[in-house]
Amino acid sequence: AQTVTQSQPEMSVQEAETVTLSCTYDTSESDYYLFWYKQPPSRQMILVIRQEAYKQQNATENRFSVNFQKAAKSFSLKISDSQLGDAAMYFCATLLNDMRFGAGTRLTVKP
Amino acid sequence: GAVVSQHPSWVICKSGTSVKIECRSLDFQATTMFWYRQFPKQSLMLMATSNEGSKATYEQGVEKDKFLINHASLTLSTLTVTSAHPEDSSFYICSARDVSNYGYTFGSGTRLTVV
């Protein structure tokens, strides 16, 4: 079974600062994928970043990067130089045969 | 990029009636599509996995007779909420897996309100 835990229901960051969102997961598989999705008020799911579990190198996408610790089953998202448009719900997800989501973290960006 | 069209974006129906939601991959083939349900301020909960040409696989606790899923082609899956009740009011989202690269793309969701 896949379980995903996001322990931070809400986070806040000052514009231009850096924030880290936490995610832990549990799976008995060795080959899987991990994702962070952003869901703005429109509720459209937007892919932020993706990590293959077999890759040791942490994925990065511009201002977004992850800290993937496979042994600890941890997959945190770092947002650098936060912008007002980053405000949204962020969901961590695991993918084996299907995609499962954590409870989400609501990120607020203060001007 | 890959696009998934979900229709309608919102629907209001009377209690006891049925509602059909379509999920269509526009520029790729999807042998597998997934249906999620999201209550306000909550996460996406997987309802069922839909495979082209075969029966859907439902998650525990999801009534298969109430939520009918059909995946008759490589580009279209439908979710029919039968005999809808107010407690079925929710946000329903589909996603499709591209057979060529295993990428996942989400539809824009359907807000269902049963009155």
Side-chain angles (χ1 to χ4, degrees):
Chain A
Q2 306 159 238
T3 59
V4 183
T5 301
Q6 292 180 250
S7 59
Q8 305 156 315
E10 297 183 353
M11 290 287 284
S12 179
V13 64
Q14 204 70 35
E15 193 176 7
E17 297 295 310
T18 296
V19 65
T20 298
L21 308 185
S22 301
C23 174
T24 58
Y25 60 94
D26 189 19
T27 178
S28 57
E29 302 295 324
S30 60
D31 191 15
Y32 48 90
Y33 293 84
L34 298 163
F35 301 82
W36 278 97
Y37 278 91
K38 172 184 179 181
Q39 189 181 44
S42 67
R43 304 187 83 168
Q44 175 71 55
M45 296 294 284
I46 301 169
L47 177 64
V48 175
I49 201 164
R50 160 180 162 154
Q51 173 84 41
E52 290 89 344
Y54 65 86
K55 290 186 177 179
Q56 293 186 340
Q57 186 173 7
N58 289 323
T60 62
E61 286 288 341
N62 300 313
R63 297 183 294 108
F64 299 88
S65 62
V66 298
N67 183 2
F68 174 45
Q69 301 290 328
K70 190 172 184 179
K73 297 181 180 176
S74 170
F75 183 61
S76 61
L77 174 69
K78 186 172 80 171
I79 306 174
S80 304
D81 186 24
S82 297
Q83 300 176 359
L84 295 177
D86 295 335
M89 282 292 291
Y90 285 82
F91 292 100
C92 177
T94 62
L95 173 62
L96 290 172
N97 296 315
D98 52 50
M99 191 174 289
R100 307 282 173 148
F101 293 86
T105 297
R106 180 172 299 281
L107 178 65
T108 302
V109 181
K110 297 180 179 179
Chain B
V3 177
V4 170
S5 173
Q6 187 172 342
H7 179 80
S9 56
W10 62 270
V11 58
I12 301 173
C13 71
K14 291 185 176 181
S15 188
T17 62
S18 296
V19 173
K20 180 183 287 187
I21 302 170
E22 289 190 351
C23 181
R24 193 180 298 270
S25 57
L26 297 186
D27 48 4
F28 66 96
Q29 293 186 330
T31 55
T32 305
M33 291 187 176
F34 304 89
W35 288 95
Y36 294 85
R37 183 173 182 175
Q38 186 179 29
F39 289 108
K41 298 184 179 181
Q42 293 189 24
S43 186
L44 283 74
M45 300 302 296
L46 181 66
M47 298 175 65
T49 301
S50 160
N51 293 297
E52 186 266 337
S54 63
K55 291 184 178 180
T57 302
Y58 291 82
E59 293 299 300
Q60 191 172 9
V62 177
E63 299 175 61
K64 61 180 181 182
D65 294 330
K66 181 169 191 58
F67 299 99
L68 300 179
I69 292 173
N70 183 276
H71 192 161
S73 77
L74 286 173
T75 60
L76 176 64
S77 177
T78 60
L79 168 67
T80 302
V81 183
T82 63
S83 187
H85 288 97
E87 56 265 30
D88 298 326
S89 299
S90 187
F91 191 69
Y92 294 87
I93 309 176
C94 70
S95 71
R97 181 165 64 195
D98 190 332
V99 297
S100 65
N101 60 20
Y102 296 100
Y104 279 74
T105 304
F106 284 84
S108 55
T110 298
R111 183 181 302 279
L112 170 64
T113 302
V114 184
V115 297

